[in-house]
Protein backbone atom coordinates (compact mmCIF):
# COMPACT_ATOMS: atom_id res chain seq x y z
CA UNK A 1 0.00 0.00 0.00
CA UNK A 2 1.40 3.40 -0.98
CA UNK A 3 0.64 6.25 1.40
CA UNK A 4 1.63 9.79 0.36
CA UNK A 5 1.32 12.92 2.49
CA UNK A 6 0.45 16.23 0.81
CA UNK A 7 -0.04 19.53 2.61
CA UNK A 8 -3.60 20.66 3.19
CA UNK A 9 -3.00 24.10 1.63
CA UNK A 10 -1.46 22.73 -1.58
CA UNK A 11 -3.37 24.41 -4.36
CA UNK A 12 -1.46 23.93 -7.60
CA UNK A 13 2.11 22.99 -6.63
CA UNK A 14 3.81 21.42 -3.66
CA UNK A 15 5.67 18.59 -2.03
CA UNK A 16 4.62 15.03 -1.40
CA UNK A 17 6.24 12.57 1.02
CA UNK A 18 5.92 8.82 0.96
CA UNK A 19 4.83 7.61 4.38
CA UNK A 20 5.72 4.35 6.09
CA UNK A 21 3.44 4.74 9.08
CA UNK A 22 1.15 7.15 10.90
CA UNK A 23 2.60 7.37 14.40
CA UNK A 24 0.17 9.79 16.00
CA UNK A 25 -2.93 11.80 15.12
CA UNK A 26 -4.80 13.77 17.77
CA UNK A 27 -6.94 16.86 18.11
CA UNK A 28 -5.66 19.41 20.59
CA UNK A 29 -7.61 22.48 21.79
CA UNK A 30 -6.16 24.42 18.84
CA UNK A 31 -5.33 22.11 15.97
CA UNK A 32 -4.84 18.60 14.67
CA UNK A 33 -1.40 17.31 15.61
CA UNK A 34 0.10 14.44 13.60
CA UNK A 35 3.41 12.61 13.31
CA UNK A 36 4.25 10.45 10.30
CA UNK A 37 7.20 8.16 9.72
CA UNK A 38 8.40 8.88 6.18
CA UNK A 39 10.17 6.24 4.12
CA UNK A 40 13.59 7.91 4.18
CA UNK A 41 13.37 11.41 5.63
CA UNK A 42 12.70 10.50 9.23
CA UNK A 43 9.64 11.72 11.06
CA UNK A 44 7.34 14.55 10.01
CA UNK A 45 5.51 16.81 12.48
CA UNK A 46 2.28 18.09 10.91
CA UNK A 47 -0.10 20.71 12.38
CA UNK A 48 -3.51 21.13 10.74
CA UNK A 49 -2.18 19.37 7.65
CA UNK A 50 0.89 21.62 7.29
CA UNK A 51 4.48 20.35 7.63
CA UNK A 52 6.19 21.98 10.61
CA UNK A 53 9.38 19.94 10.85
CA UNK A 54 10.94 16.97 9.16
CA UNK A 55 13.81 15.12 10.82
CA UNK A 56 15.72 15.07 7.53
CA UNK A 57 16.24 18.83 7.28
CA UNK A 58 14.87 20.52 10.41
CA UNK A 59 18.45 21.56 11.23
CA UNK A 60 18.38 24.08 8.37
CA UNK A 61 15.40 25.99 9.72
CA UNK A 62 16.29 25.76 13.41
CA UNK A 63 19.98 26.60 13.10
CA UNK A 64 19.20 29.59 10.91
CA UNK A 65 16.42 31.03 13.07
CA UNK A 66 18.61 30.76 16.19
CA UNK A 67 22.27 31.37 15.36
CA UNK A 68 21.88 34.38 13.06
CA UNK A 69 20.51 36.63 15.84
CA UNK A 70 22.58 34.99 18.62
CA UNK A 71 25.85 35.51 16.72
CA UNK A 72 24.93 39.13 15.99
CA UNK A 73 23.95 40.29 19.48
CA UNK A 74 27.11 40.74 21.61
CA UNK A 75 25.47 39.41 24.79
CA UNK A 76 22.17 37.62 24.20
CA UNK A 77 21.57 36.61 27.81
CA UNK A 78 17.78 36.60 27.83
CA UNK A 79 15.93 35.03 24.96
CA UNK A 80 12.21 34.74 24.32
CA UNK A 81 10.86 32.17 21.87
CA UNK A 82 7.26 32.59 20.72
CA UNK A 83 5.86 29.31 19.39
CA UNK A 84 8.63 26.81 18.85
CA UNK A 85 6.75 24.00 20.58
CA UNK A 86 8.64 21.38 18.59
CA UNK A 87 11.77 22.26 20.56
CA UNK A 88 14.17 22.64 17.63
CA UNK A 89 14.77 26.34 18.22
CA UNK A 90 15.23 25.80 21.97
CA UNK A 91 17.79 23.09 21.24
CA UNK A 92 19.90 25.52 19.19
CA UNK A 93 19.49 28.49 21.56
CA UNK A 94 20.54 26.67 24.73
CA UNK A 95 23.78 25.54 23.06
CA UNK A 96 25.09 29.08 23.61
CA UNK A 97 26.83 29.42 26.99
CA UNK A 98 26.22 33.16 26.87
CA UNK A 99 22.44 32.58 26.94
CA UNK A 100 21.37 32.58 30.61
CA UNK A 101 17.60 32.13 30.34
CA UNK A 102 15.10 31.15 27.69
CA UNK A 103 11.35 31.72 27.91
CA UNK A 104 9.32 29.59 25.52
CA UNK A 105 5.68 30.61 25.04
CA UNK A 106 3.78 27.91 23.19
CA UNK A 107 0.01 28.04 22.92
CA UNK A 108 -0.50 24.31 22.39
CA UNK A 109 0.78 22.02 25.14
CA UNK A 110 0.03 19.00 22.93
CA UNK A 111 2.77 20.01 20.47
CA UNK A 112 5.37 19.82 23.24
CA UNK A 113 4.02 16.51 24.53
CA UNK A 114 3.92 14.92 21.10
CA UNK A 115 7.40 16.19 20.23
CA UNK A 116 8.84 14.81 23.47
CA UNK A 117 7.36 11.40 22.74
CA UNK A 118 7.79 11.08 18.98
CA UNK A 119 10.51 13.51 17.92
CA UNK A 120 13.32 13.27 20.48
CA UNK A 121 15.81 14.82 18.02
CA UNK A 122 13.77 18.01 18.21
CA UNK A 123 12.74 17.81 21.83
CA UNK A 124 16.18 17.08 23.28
CA UNK A 125 16.55 20.38 25.18
CA UNK A 126 13.18 20.62 26.90
CA UNK A 127 14.86 19.67 30.19
CA UNK A 128 17.51 22.41 29.98
CA UNK A 129 17.81 24.25 33.32
CA UNK A 130 17.88 27.55 31.37
CA UNK A 131 14.41 26.94 29.94
CA UNK A 132 11.08 28.18 31.29
CA UNK A 133 8.06 26.90 29.41
CA UNK A 134 4.90 29.02 29.46
CA UNK A 135 1.79 27.46 27.98
CA UNK A 136 -0.21 30.36 26.63
CA UNK A 137 -0.82 32.80 23.82
CA UNK A 138 2.38 34.50 22.65
CA UNK A 139 0.40 37.57 21.63
CA UNK A 140 -0.96 38.00 25.17
CA UNK A 141 2.45 37.23 26.67
CA UNK A 142 4.29 40.02 24.85
CA UNK A 143 1.44 42.41 25.65
CA UNK A 144 1.56 41.69 29.39
CA UNK A 145 5.06 40.69 30.48
CA UNK A 146 7.31 43.07 32.38
CA UNK A 147 10.42 41.26 31.23
CA UNK A 148 12.84 42.72 28.70
CA UNK A 149 14.75 40.53 26.27
CA UNK A 150 17.96 40.73 24.28
CA UNK A 151 16.59 38.51 21.52
CA UNK A 152 13.03 37.52 20.61
CA UNK A 153 12.57 34.63 18.15
CA UNK A 154 9.12 34.29 16.59
CA UNK A 155 8.91 30.65 15.55
CA UNK A 156 5.20 30.36 14.84
CA UNK A 157 3.34 28.35 12.25
CA UNK A 158 1.81 29.74 9.06
CA UNK A 159 -0.44 32.83 8.92
CA UNK A 160 -3.59 30.75 8.87
CA UNK A 161 -5.25 29.28 11.96
CA UNK A 162 -3.96 29.91 15.49
CA UNK A 163 -0.77 31.72 14.42
CA UNK A 164 -2.28 34.46 12.23
CA UNK A 165 -1.83 37.14 14.92
CA UNK A 166 1.93 36.47 14.98
CA UNK A 167 2.22 38.38 11.68
CA UNK A 168 0.36 41.54 12.72
CA UNK A 169 1.80 45.01 13.22
CA UNK A 170 0.47 45.18 16.79
CA UNK A 171 2.23 41.94 17.74
CA UNK A 172 5.52 43.16 16.25
CA UNK A 173 5.06 46.44 18.16
CA UNK A 174 4.70 44.53 21.42
CA UNK A 175 7.83 42.55 20.59
CA UNK A 176 9.65 45.81 19.95
CA UNK A 177 8.56 47.12 23.36
CA UNK A 178 9.66 43.94 25.16
CA UNK A 179 13.17 44.15 23.65
CA UNK A 180 15.95 46.03 25.41
CA UNK A 181 17.20 49.13 23.60
CA UNK A 182 19.74 47.02 21.69
CA UNK A 183 17.48 44.02 21.11
CA UNK A 184 16.95 41.92 18.01
CA UNK A 185 13.79 40.19 16.82
CA UNK A 186 13.93 37.37 14.29
CA UNK A 187 10.72 35.95 12.85
CA UNK A 188 9.98 33.20 10.36
CA UNK A 189 8.34 34.92 7.40
CA UNK A 190 7.19 32.14 5.08
CA UNK A 191 8.42 31.55 1.53
CA UNK A 192 8.91 34.31 -1.04
CA UNK A 193 9.16 31.75 -3.87
CA UNK A 194 6.21 29.34 -3.70
CA UNK A 195 3.65 30.61 -6.20
CA UNK A 196 0.69 30.17 -3.85
CA UNK A 197 2.18 30.86 -0.42
CA UNK A 198 4.32 33.92 -1.21
CA UNK A 199 1.26 36.16 -1.25
CA UNK A 200 1.59 36.77 2.50
CA UNK A 201 5.18 37.95 2.45
CA UNK A 202 5.13 41.63 1.33
CA UNK A 203 2.50 42.53 3.93
CA UNK A 204 4.48 40.80 6.70
CA UNK A 205 7.51 42.99 5.85
CA UNK A 206 5.35 46.13 5.71
CA UNK A 207 4.06 45.29 9.17
CA UNK A 208 7.51 44.73 10.68
CA UNK A 209 8.98 47.79 8.98
CA UNK A 210 6.32 50.04 10.50
CA UNK A 211 7.81 49.11 13.87
CA UNK A 212 11.55 48.42 13.55
CA UNK A 213 14.10 50.95 12.19
CA UNK A 214 16.02 48.26 10.29
CA UNK A 215 14.49 45.03 8.96
CA UNK A 216 16.18 42.72 6.46
CA UNK A 217 15.21 39.38 5.00
CA UNK A 218 17.52 36.40 5.13
CA UNK A 219 16.93 33.04 3.58
CA UNK A 220 17.68 29.37 4.13
CA UNK A 221 17.10 26.32 2.00
CA UNK A 222 14.69 23.88 3.64
CA UNK A 223 13.93 20.81 1.51
CA UNK A 224 10.63 19.95 3.22
CA UNK A 225 9.05 23.36 2.59
CA UNK A 226 7.58 24.10 -0.86
CA UNK A 227 10.04 25.81 -3.27
CA UNK A 228 12.85 24.99 -0.84
CA UNK A 229 13.34 28.66 0.02
CA UNK A 230 12.36 29.86 3.46
CA UNK A 231 12.71 33.41 4.75
CA UNK A 232 13.29 35.10 8.08
CA UNK A 233 13.01 38.74 9.10
CA UNK A 234 15.98 40.16 10.96
CA UNK A 235 14.52 43.20 12.76
CA UNK A 236 16.97 45.18 14.83
CA UNK A 237 17.16 48.30 16.92
CA UNK A 238 20.92 48.67 16.82
CA UNK A 239 23.12 45.77 15.69
CA UNK A 240 23.97 45.05 12.07
CA UNK A 241 24.14 41.34 11.23
CA UNK A 242 27.21 41.80 9.03
CA UNK A 243 29.24 44.43 10.91
CA UNK A 244 28.42 43.10 14.36
CA UNK A 245 28.92 39.40 13.58
CA UNK A 246 30.42 37.85 16.72
CA UNK A 247 33.18 35.94 14.97
CA UNK A 248 35.35 35.43 18.04
CA UNK A 249 32.51 33.81 19.98
CA UNK A 250 31.56 31.72 16.96
CA UNK A 251 35.11 30.37 16.68
CA UNK A 252 35.37 29.74 20.41
CA UNK A 253 32.04 27.88 20.59
CA UNK A 254 33.00 25.56 17.74
CA UNK A 255 29.56 23.95 17.56
CA UNK A 256 29.20 21.07 15.14
CA UNK A 257 26.41 22.47 12.98
CA UNK A 258 24.94 21.08 9.79
CA UNK A 259 23.85 24.25 8.01
CA UNK A 260 25.01 27.49 9.66
CA UNK A 261 28.59 28.73 9.49
CA UNK A 262 30.32 32.11 9.63
CA UNK A 263 30.13 32.61 5.86
CA UNK A 264 26.47 31.55 5.67
CA UNK A 265 25.78 34.15 8.38
CA UNK A 266 26.62 36.83 5.82
CA UNK A 267 25.61 35.11 2.57
CA UNK A 268 22.06 34.41 3.78
CA UNK A 269 21.28 38.14 3.57
CA UNK A 270 22.12 38.24 -0.15
CA UNK A 271 18.83 37.92 -2.02
CA UNK A 272 18.09 37.06 -5.65
CA UNK A 273 16.70 40.09 -7.49
CA UNK A 274 13.16 38.74 -7.69
CA UNK A 275 13.00 38.27 -3.91
CA UNK A 276 14.36 41.75 -3.19
CA UNK A 277 11.92 43.27 -5.67
CA UNK A 278 9.07 41.24 -4.22
CA UNK A 279 9.41 42.62 -0.68
CA UNK A 280 10.65 46.09 -1.57
CA UNK A 281 8.58 46.63 -4.73
CA UNK B 1 -10.92 16.95 -13.62
CA UNK B 2 -7.71 17.32 -11.62
CA UNK B 3 -4.51 16.51 -13.45
CA UNK B 4 -1.24 16.46 -11.48
CA UNK B 5 2.23 15.94 -12.90
CA UNK B 6 4.82 14.04 -10.84
CA UNK B 7 8.34 13.25 -11.98
CA UNK B 8 9.00 9.73 -13.20
CA UNK B 9 11.97 9.24 -10.85
CA UNK B 10 10.11 10.32 -7.72
CA UNK B 11 10.70 7.54 -5.22
CA UNK B 12 9.71 8.80 -1.78
CA UNK B 13 9.62 12.60 -1.98
CA UNK B 14 9.15 15.18 -4.68
CA UNK B 15 7.16 17.93 -6.31
CA UNK B 16 3.76 17.83 -7.91
CA UNK B 17 2.31 20.41 -10.31
CA UNK B 18 -1.35 20.90 -11.13
CA UNK B 19 -1.80 20.83 -14.90
CA UNK B 20 -4.35 22.73 -16.96
CA UNK B 21 -3.58 21.12 -20.27
CA UNK B 22 -1.18 18.79 -22.07
CA UNK B 23 0.16 20.86 -24.98
CA UNK B 24 2.49 18.35 -26.58
CA UNK B 25 3.70 14.79 -26.14
CA UNK B 26 5.95 13.13 -28.68
CA UNK B 27 8.64 10.50 -28.90
CA UNK B 28 11.93 11.68 -30.41
CA UNK B 29 14.82 9.41 -31.37
CA UNK B 30 16.18 9.77 -27.82
CA UNK B 31 13.37 10.43 -25.39
CA UNK B 32 9.76 11.40 -24.75
CA UNK B 33 9.33 15.15 -25.03
CA UNK B 34 6.31 16.77 -23.37
CA UNK B 35 5.02 20.27 -22.64
CA UNK B 36 2.32 20.90 -20.03
CA UNK B 37 0.47 24.09 -19.22
CA UNK B 38 0.44 24.35 -15.42
CA UNK B 39 -2.31 26.17 -13.58
CA UNK B 40 -0.18 29.09 -12.42
CA UNK B 41 3.51 28.44 -13.11
CA UNK B 42 3.44 28.73 -16.86
CA UNK B 43 4.58 25.93 -19.11
CA UNK B 44 6.65 22.91 -18.11
CA UNK B 45 9.15 21.19 -20.43
CA UNK B 46 9.46 17.51 -19.51
CA UNK B 47 11.95 14.98 -20.95
CA UNK B 48 11.40 11.30 -20.18
CA UNK B 49 9.14 12.30 -17.31
CA UNK B 50 11.69 14.68 -15.70
CA UNK B 51 11.15 18.44 -15.38
CA UNK B 52 13.71 20.35 -17.43
CA UNK B 53 12.33 23.88 -17.27
CA UNK B 54 9.32 25.66 -15.89
CA UNK B 55 8.43 29.14 -17.12
CA UNK B 56 7.86 30.28 -13.53
CA UNK B 57 11.45 29.91 -12.38
CA UNK B 58 13.66 28.89 -15.33
CA UNK B 59 15.44 32.24 -14.99
CA UNK B 60 17.09 31.03 -11.76
CA UNK B 61 18.78 28.06 -13.39
CA UNK B 62 19.65 29.74 -16.70
CA UNK B 63 20.96 33.01 -15.28
CA UNK B 64 23.12 31.15 -12.80
CA UNK B 65 24.61 28.64 -15.23
CA UNK B 66 25.50 31.46 -17.69
CA UNK B 67 26.44 34.63 -15.83
CA UNK B 68 28.67 33.13 -13.13
CA UNK B 69 31.32 31.93 -15.65
CA UNK B 70 30.78 34.84 -18.07
CA UNK B 71 31.31 37.44 -15.34
CA UNK B 72 34.43 35.63 -14.12
CA UNK B 73 36.30 35.18 -17.42
CA UNK B 74 37.76 38.56 -18.54
CA UNK B 75 37.05 37.94 -22.23
CA UNK B 76 34.66 35.06 -22.90
CA UNK B 77 34.50 35.46 -26.67
CA UNK B 78 33.92 31.84 -27.66
CA UNK B 79 31.37 29.83 -25.73
CA UNK B 80 30.34 26.19 -26.13
CA UNK B 81 27.05 24.95 -24.70
CA UNK B 82 26.60 21.17 -24.46
CA UNK B 83 22.91 20.28 -24.24
CA UNK B 84 20.83 23.35 -23.56
CA UNK B 85 18.29 22.52 -26.26
CA UNK B 86 15.58 24.46 -24.45
CA UNK B 87 17.40 27.67 -25.34
CA UNK B 88 17.40 29.27 -21.88
CA UNK B 89 21.18 29.17 -21.49
CA UNK B 90 21.71 30.52 -25.03
CA UNK B 91 19.35 33.39 -24.27
CA UNK B 92 21.47 34.44 -21.28
CA UNK B 93 24.84 33.91 -22.98
CA UNK B 94 24.09 35.99 -26.11
CA UNK B 95 23.09 38.96 -23.94
CA UNK B 96 26.82 39.55 -23.38
CA UNK B 97 28.29 41.87 -26.05
CA UNK B 98 31.73 40.45 -25.31
CA UNK B 99 30.59 36.99 -26.48
CA UNK B 100 31.35 36.72 -30.20
CA UNK B 101 30.26 33.17 -31.00
CA UNK B 102 28.24 30.43 -29.35
CA UNK B 103 28.24 26.78 -30.38
CA UNK B 104 25.28 24.80 -29.10
CA UNK B 105 25.55 21.02 -29.35
CA UNK B 106 22.18 19.40 -28.67
CA UNK B 107 21.65 15.71 -29.31
CA UNK B 108 17.89 15.93 -29.74
CA UNK B 109 16.58 18.21 -32.49
CA UNK B 110 13.03 17.69 -31.22
CA UNK B 111 13.80 19.56 -28.00
CA UNK B 112 14.75 22.66 -29.99
CA UNK B 113 11.70 22.37 -32.25
CA UNK B 114 9.29 21.90 -29.36
CA UNK B 115 10.84 24.76 -27.40
CA UNK B 116 10.59 27.10 -30.39
CA UNK B 117 6.93 26.27 -30.77
CA UNK B 118 5.71 25.96 -27.19
CA UNK B 119 8.19 27.81 -24.99
CA UNK B 120 9.06 31.08 -26.74
CA UNK B 121 10.31 32.61 -23.47
CA UNK B 122 13.07 30.02 -23.49
CA UNK B 123 13.63 29.84 -27.22
CA UNK B 124 13.86 33.58 -27.85
CA UNK B 125 17.55 33.61 -28.87
CA UNK B 126 17.68 30.69 -31.32
CA UNK B 127 17.89 33.20 -34.19
CA UNK B 128 20.87 35.10 -32.74
CA UNK B 129 23.55 35.68 -35.41
CA UNK B 130 26.19 34.63 -32.87
CA UNK B 131 24.69 31.16 -32.53
CA UNK B 132 25.69 27.98 -34.40
CA UNK B 133 23.50 24.99 -33.66
CA UNK B 134 25.04 21.54 -34.07
CA UNK B 135 22.67 18.61 -33.78
CA UNK B 136 24.76 15.78 -32.40
CA UNK B 137 26.28 14.09 -29.40
CA UNK B 138 28.12 16.53 -27.11
CA UNK B 139 30.47 13.75 -26.02
CA UNK B 140 31.57 13.12 -29.61
CA UNK B 141 31.75 16.83 -30.32
CA UNK B 142 34.26 17.62 -27.55
CA UNK B 143 36.30 14.56 -28.54
CA UNK B 144 36.58 15.62 -32.19
CA UNK B 145 36.45 19.38 -32.54
CA UNK B 146 39.57 21.42 -33.25
CA UNK B 147 38.04 24.55 -31.74
CA UNK B 148 39.18 26.00 -28.45
CA UNK B 149 36.78 27.78 -26.13
CA UNK B 150 36.97 30.38 -23.39
CA UNK B 151 33.92 28.97 -21.60
CA UNK B 152 32.18 25.60 -21.84
CA UNK B 153 28.73 25.26 -20.25
CA UNK B 154 27.44 21.72 -19.72
CA UNK B 155 23.67 22.09 -19.57
CA UNK B 156 22.61 18.46 -19.89
CA UNK B 157 19.73 16.60 -18.34
CA UNK B 158 20.00 14.17 -15.45
CA UNK B 159 22.56 11.33 -15.23
CA UNK B 160 20.06 8.76 -16.43
CA UNK B 161 19.21 8.13 -20.09
CA UNK B 162 20.91 9.96 -22.95
CA UNK B 163 22.85 12.39 -20.75
CA UNK B 164 24.67 9.92 -18.50
CA UNK B 165 28.00 10.33 -20.35
CA UNK B 166 27.96 14.06 -19.60
CA UNK B 167 28.98 13.24 -16.02
CA UNK B 168 31.98 10.99 -16.78
CA UNK B 169 35.65 11.71 -16.18
CA UNK B 170 36.52 11.17 -19.84
CA UNK B 171 33.95 13.76 -20.97
CA UNK B 172 35.26 16.31 -18.47
CA UNK B 173 38.81 15.58 -19.70
CA UNK B 174 37.76 16.32 -23.28
CA UNK B 175 36.14 19.56 -22.12
CA UNK B 176 39.39 20.47 -20.35
CA UNK B 177 41.34 19.85 -23.58
CA UNK B 178 38.93 21.98 -25.66
CA UNK B 179 39.30 24.94 -23.30
CA UNK B 180 41.99 27.55 -23.85
CA UNK B 181 44.68 27.70 -21.18
CA UNK B 182 42.59 30.19 -19.17
CA UNK B 183 39.22 28.55 -19.83
CA UNK B 184 36.33 27.85 -17.47
CA UNK B 185 33.89 24.96 -17.53
CA UNK B 186 30.57 25.16 -15.69
CA UNK B 187 28.33 22.11 -15.45
CA UNK B 188 24.96 21.48 -13.85
CA UNK B 189 25.57 18.92 -11.11
CA UNK B 190 22.15 17.94 -9.80
CA UNK B 191 20.86 18.50 -6.27
CA UNK B 192 22.93 17.83 -3.15
CA UNK B 193 19.80 18.01 -0.94
CA UNK B 194 17.07 15.77 -2.36
CA UNK B 195 17.24 12.52 -0.38
CA UNK B 196 16.93 10.29 -3.46
CA UNK B 197 18.72 12.27 -6.17
CA UNK B 198 21.77 13.49 -4.23
CA UNK B 199 23.39 10.08 -4.51
CA UNK B 200 25.00 11.05 -7.84
CA UNK B 201 26.69 14.20 -6.62
CA UNK B 202 29.90 13.13 -4.81
CA UNK B 203 31.00 10.97 -7.76
CA UNK B 204 30.39 13.82 -10.23
CA UNK B 205 32.73 16.06 -8.20
CA UNK B 206 35.34 13.32 -7.92
CA UNK B 207 35.24 12.98 -11.73
CA UNK B 208 35.62 16.70 -12.38
CA UNK B 209 38.36 17.07 -9.76
CA UNK B 210 40.47 14.39 -11.39
CA UNK B 211 40.68 16.71 -14.39
CA UNK B 212 40.54 20.37 -13.29
CA UNK B 213 43.00 21.94 -10.83
CA UNK B 214 40.26 23.98 -9.10
CA UNK B 215 36.59 22.94 -8.92
CA UNK B 216 34.02 24.51 -6.61
CA UNK B 217 30.31 24.00 -6.17
CA UNK B 218 27.87 26.88 -6.33
CA UNK B 219 24.17 26.72 -5.72
CA UNK B 220 20.93 28.34 -6.84
CA UNK B 221 17.39 28.00 -5.60
CA UNK B 222 15.10 26.57 -8.27
CA UNK B 223 11.50 26.07 -7.10
CA UNK B 224 10.59 23.47 -9.74
CA UNK B 225 13.42 21.09 -8.84
CA UNK B 226 13.03 18.79 -5.81
CA UNK B 227 14.42 20.26 -2.55
CA UNK B 228 14.71 23.64 -4.27
CA UNK B 229 18.52 23.50 -4.19
CA UNK B 230 20.38 23.04 -7.45
CA UNK B 231 24.15 22.86 -7.83
CA UNK B 232 26.72 23.74 -10.47
CA UNK B 233 30.40 22.91 -10.73
CA UNK B 234 32.71 25.83 -11.45
CA UNK B 235 35.84 24.15 -12.87
CA UNK B 236 38.63 26.49 -13.78
CA UNK B 237 42.19 26.45 -15.07
CA UNK B 238 43.12 29.93 -13.92
CA UNK B 239 40.43 32.41 -12.91
CA UNK B 240 38.93 32.62 -9.43
CA UNK B 241 35.20 33.41 -9.38
CA UNK B 242 35.57 35.77 -6.41
CA UNK B 243 38.88 37.53 -7.11
CA UNK B 244 38.37 37.76 -10.86
CA UNK B 245 34.73 38.88 -10.77
CA UNK B 246 34.28 41.29 -13.67
CA UNK B 247 32.44 43.97 -11.72
CA UNK B 248 33.10 46.81 -14.18
CA UNK B 249 31.59 44.86 -17.07
CA UNK B 250 28.67 43.76 -14.90
CA UNK B 251 27.89 47.36 -14.01
CA UNK B 252 28.26 48.54 -17.60
CA UNK B 253 26.02 45.81 -19.02
CA UNK B 254 23.23 46.64 -16.58
CA UNK B 255 21.11 43.64 -17.61
CA UNK B 256 17.69 43.42 -16.01
CA UNK B 257 18.02 40.00 -14.40
CA UNK B 258 15.63 38.24 -12.05
CA UNK B 259 18.03 36.14 -9.99
CA UNK B 260 21.71 36.89 -10.58
CA UNK B 261 23.44 40.00 -9.24
CA UNK B 262 26.97 40.94 -8.21
CA UNK B 263 26.46 39.88 -4.61
CA UNK B 264 24.81 36.57 -5.58
CA UNK B 265 27.89 35.92 -7.77
CA UNK B 266 29.91 35.61 -4.57
CA UNK B 267 27.28 34.34 -2.13
CA UNK B 268 26.35 31.35 -4.31
CA UNK B 269 29.73 29.76 -3.54
CA UNK B 270 29.01 29.75 0.20
CA UNK B 271 27.70 26.30 1.07
CA UNK B 272 25.85 25.02 4.11
CA UNK B 273 28.05 22.66 6.15
CA UNK B 274 26.14 19.53 5.15
CA UNK B 275 26.62 20.26 1.43
CA UNK B 276 30.34 20.96 1.84
CA UNK B 277 30.78 17.77 3.86
CA UNK B 278 28.75 15.80 1.33
CA UNK B 279 31.01 16.58 -1.62
CA UNK B 280 34.29 16.82 0.26
CA UNK B 281 33.72 14.08 2.83
Amino acid sequence: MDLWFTESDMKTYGLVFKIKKTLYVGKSKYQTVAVFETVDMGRLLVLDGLVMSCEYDEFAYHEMIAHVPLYTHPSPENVLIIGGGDGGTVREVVKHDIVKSVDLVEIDEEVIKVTKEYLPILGSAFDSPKLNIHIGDGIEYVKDTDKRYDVIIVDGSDPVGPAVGLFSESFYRDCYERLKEDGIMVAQTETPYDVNLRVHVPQIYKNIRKVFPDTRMYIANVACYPSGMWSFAFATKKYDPIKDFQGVRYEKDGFKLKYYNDQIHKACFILPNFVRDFIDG
Side-chain angles (χ1 to χ4, degrees), chain A:
Chain A
M1 191 181 72
D2 263 20
L3 188 65
W4 290 86
F5 171 78
T6 64
E7 290 196 290
S8 60
D9 63 347
M10 195 178 72
K11 287 180 193 150
T12 62
Y13 153 92
L15 285 165
V16 297
F17 300 80
K18 195 166 177 180
I19 300 301
K20 218 188 273 181
K21 204 174 166 184
T22 300
L23 296 173
Y24 177 86
V25 182
K27 247 188 138 50
S28 76
K29 219 165 103 187
Y30 299 97
Q31 54 204 341
T32 300
V33 180
V35 181
F36 299 104
E37 181 83 48
T38 68
V39 173
D40 53 16
M41 295 174 78
R43 295 179 175 189
L44 210 56
L45 175 68
V46 173
L47 300 181
D48 274 349
L50 303 175
V51 171
M52 290 299 117
S53 288
C54 174
E55 284 184 336
Y56 178 72
D57 67 352
E58 56 81 19
F59 64 84
Y61 176 95
H62 292 120
E63 290 183 8
M64 290 299 283
I65 203 170
H67 300 305
V68 173
L70 293 178
Y71 280 127
T72 300
H73 197 294
S75 73
E77 295 193 358
N78 300 301
V79 177
L80 169 64
I81 301 170
I82 305 284
D86 67 11
T89 300
V90 172
R91 179 193 65 203
E92 296 305 316
V93 170
V94 301
K95 283 180 183 170
H96 292 254
D97 279 345
I98 204 164
V99 170
K100 298 291 175 246
S101 103
V102 181
D103 288 318
L104 177 83
V105 185
E106 166 62 52
I107 199 166
D108 193 343
E109 202 168 5
E110 276 302 297
V111 175
I112 297 176
K113 277 191 197 161
V114 168
T115 300
K116 275 186 183 168
E117 186 164 352
Y118 293 98
L119 292 148
I121 290 177
L122 283 155
S124 62
F126 278 135
D127 56 358
S128 163
K130 298 176 182 179
L131 179 66
N132 307 294
I133 298 177
H134 307 257
I135 302 302
D137 185 347
I139 296 166
E140 296 302 316
Y141 183 89
V142 291
K143 214 176 279 171
D144 298 338
T145 185
D146 293 328
K147 288 182 80 168
R148 293 295 175 273
Y149 294 95
D150 299 303
V151 171
I152 296 177
I153 298 176
V154 186
D155 179 17
S157 48
D158 303 293
V160 287
V164 68
L166 299 182
F167 298 88
S168 68
E169 184 189 337
S170 65
F171 169 71
Y172 295 131
R173 195 166 299 282
D174 290 332
C175 288
Y176 182 94
E177 298 297 334
R178 296 298 89 75
L179 284 171
K180 295 178 191 163
E181 74 284 354
D182 64 347
I184 297 168
M185 179 187 82
V186 160
Q188 79 86 359
T189 52
E190 307 292 299
T191 168
Y193 206 4
D194 175 289
V195 68
N196 299 134
L197 304 178
R198 71 201 296 248
V199 63
H200 303 294
V201 176
Q203 187 61 49
I204 296 172
Y205 278 78
K206 280 197 188 96
N207 292 349
I208 301 177
R209 284 174 169 161
K210 278 183 208 153
V211 175
F212 281 84
D214 182 7
T215 301
R216 301 178 215 182
M217 178 189 273
Y218 68 94
I219 55 183
N221 194 298
V222 184
C224 76
Y225 292 160
S227 88
M229 184 191 279
W230 211 254
S231 71
F232 304 88
F234 185 96
T236 174
K237 294 186 177 184
K238 179 174 172 188
Y239 299 116
D240 179 295
I242 311 303
K243 283 186 219 138
D244 295 309
F245 172 61
Q246 301 294 310
V248 174
R249 177 150 50 89
Y250 167 82
E251 290 296 338
K252 195 165 146 269
D253 285 340
F255 300 148
K256 298 246 173 292
L257 301 175
K258 290 191 210 167
Y259 194 102
Y260 177 92
N261 60 49
D262 53 345
Q263 293 184 290
I264 289 280
H265 181 97
K266 294 166 186 177
C268 68
F269 287 93
I270 308 300
L271 304 178
N273 295 347
F274 79 97
V275 178
R276 214 176 45 198
D277 294 349
F278 187 60
I279 56 164
D280 293 336

